[in-house]
Amino acid sequence: MAFAQLPVELIDAICQRGQPTDLVALSRTCSSIYPVAQRHLYRHLSISTASRNLRAVVTLARRPELAQNVRTFSLRAECATVFRPFLRLVGMALSRMTELVSLDLFVDPDASWILSEARCTYTRLSRFSCSLVFDSHVVEFLGKTEALLELQVDGASISHNALPVPALPARSIPHLSQFVGSSHVACAIVPGRPVESIHLPLGDLTAEDVTVLANSTSHVLIFGATATSSPLPILESLSQHMSSLIYLRLMTTFDFLEVPQPVRIYYTISLVKTI
């Protein structure tokens, strides 16, 4: 029996285990195998300037039938080598990837406008990670991702933290369980949502932020953050408002010019032990 005469289910199972080069070769064998091989070839895409495969974005933008096959899409493009026409094609391609499950976008932080090109809803998207500034374009996009569980946003420079944080409607991302980003954006997203894991590598965490973040509708179990102030007030706030923590990592650049009072240190450590 010729390979092309095998049941479609078997050809599909074989393609699932094929490498991209194998799938390209298979797609060129005959017209009956082509659609099966193409479907798997475009299912999981990792595109970057280093890999020199940016042209795949052009293909996806021009061929909606291929873009609909994409389930995981990762784009890492250096700002210096990417121009606005290419970013416009990225937005066009995203608008055709209606079955996305995971999306990574690491481009120019100020290029959040490409998300406005996506006028469809992403009912299956559970993970979104990007370097984009958290602005109205990102807020609008998140309103189309009801199933989102993991979010990483606002990976831009600290200078953007001075910008006002747009309001995120209460109905957006109702199932969010993990957030990675800056402390000031976290305070706008976490309250009112079932976030259990919070990692804040950007921003300057304060004791007041901890109070706000504790308004997650679920117990916060994992917490990591950076700060520039003394960690003692933050640890005290954590012990009072996040007593269910099972993992804590707090880094600070605070310079202890004077040794803290031993009594306060002992009190703080005692509180942390209760977490």
Side-chain angles (χ1 to χ4, degrees):
M1 177 182 292
F3 183 80
Q5 294 177 331
L6 290 173
V8 177
E9 294 80 3
L10 288 180
I11 297 177
D12 190 78
I14 293 171
C15 289
Q16 284 182 2
R17 299 177 179 275
Q19 297 298 316
T21 52
D22 301 327
L23 294 173
V24 171
L26 273 175
S27 67
R28 293 172 177 172
T29 56
C30 68
S31 58
S32 60
I33 296 177
Y34 177 83
V36 181
Q38 286 283 294
R39 184 169 69 250
H40 288 280
L41 181 61
Y42 285 90
R43 180 154 293 186
H44 306 290
L45 294 178
S46 179
I47 300 172
S48 67
T49 50
S51 300
R52 298 183 179 180
N53 57 354
L54 296 181
R55 187 168 180 78
V57 172
V58 180
T59 301
L60 293 170
R62 294 176 177 175
R63 299 188 59 182
E65 74 280 6
L66 293 180
Q68 291 177 356
N69 294 324
V70 181
R71 298 295 181 269
T72 63
F73 183 78
S74 174
L75 174 62
R76 297 176 181 271
E78 298 176 3
C79 301
T81 59
V82 173
F83 299 99
R84 190 177 182 90
F86 174 80
L87 292 175
R88 189 174 294 110
L89 288 173
V90 172
M92 189 182 301
L94 287 175
S95 68
R96 290 159 166 72
M97 300 181 199
T98 56
E99 300 299 319
L100 272 177
V101 175
S102 175
L103 174 60
D104 291 340
L105 276 182
F106 288 88
V107 293
D108 182 357
D110 293 318
S112 59
W113 54 267
I114 64 178
L115 296 176
S116 297
E117 299 289 334
R119 297 181 176 85
C120 58
T121 57
Y122 298 88
T123 57
R124 303 181 60 186
L125 188 65
S126 61
R127 179 181 177 276
F128 177 43
S129 178
C130 72
S131 59
L132 303 175
V133 176
F134 187 73
D135 59 11
S136 59
H137 297 299
V138 176
V139 168
E140 180 185 3
F141 179 79
L142 293 178
K144 305 170 185 176
T145 59
E146 183 179 356
L148 197 69
L149 299 175
E150 302 176 16
L151 173 63
Q152 177 180 342
V153 73
D154 193 34
S157 63
I158 301 299
S159 62
H160 284 96
N161 290 353
L163 299 175
V165 178
L168 184 66
R171 65 181 181 277
S172 297
I173 51 177
H175 307 294
L176 188 69
S177 62
Q178 178 178 318
F179 176 81
V180 179
S182 63
S183 55
H184 77 298
V185 173
C187 288
I189 291 179
V190 171
R193 294 178 175 85
V195 182
E196 297 180 346
S197 175
I198 303 173
H199 183 53
L200 311 175
L202 299 173
D204 183 11
L205 183 73
T206 65
E208 291 74 19
D209 291 337
V210 173
T211 304
V212 175
L213 297 174
N215 289 320
S216 166
T217 56
S218 180
H219 292 300
V220 178
L221 304 177
I222 301 173
F223 189 84
T226 58
T228 59
S229 60
S230 171
L232 298 183
I234 297 175
L235 290 172
E236 291 177 1
S237 185
L238 285 168
S239 66
Q240 295 171 12
H241 301 288
M242 295 187 185
S243 58
S244 298
L245 281 176
I246 59 175
Y247 176 87
L248 171 63
R249 183 180 184 182
L250 179 62
M251 297 181 291
T252 181
T253 58
F254 181 74
D255 186 9
F256 288 98
L257 296 178
E258 297 182 1
V259 178
Q261 292 295 325
V263 174
R264 188 177 184 188
I265 292 179
Y266 175 78
Y267 173 69
T268 303
I269 293 176
S270 298
L271 289 175
V272 172
K273 286 182 178 179
T274 65
I275 294 180

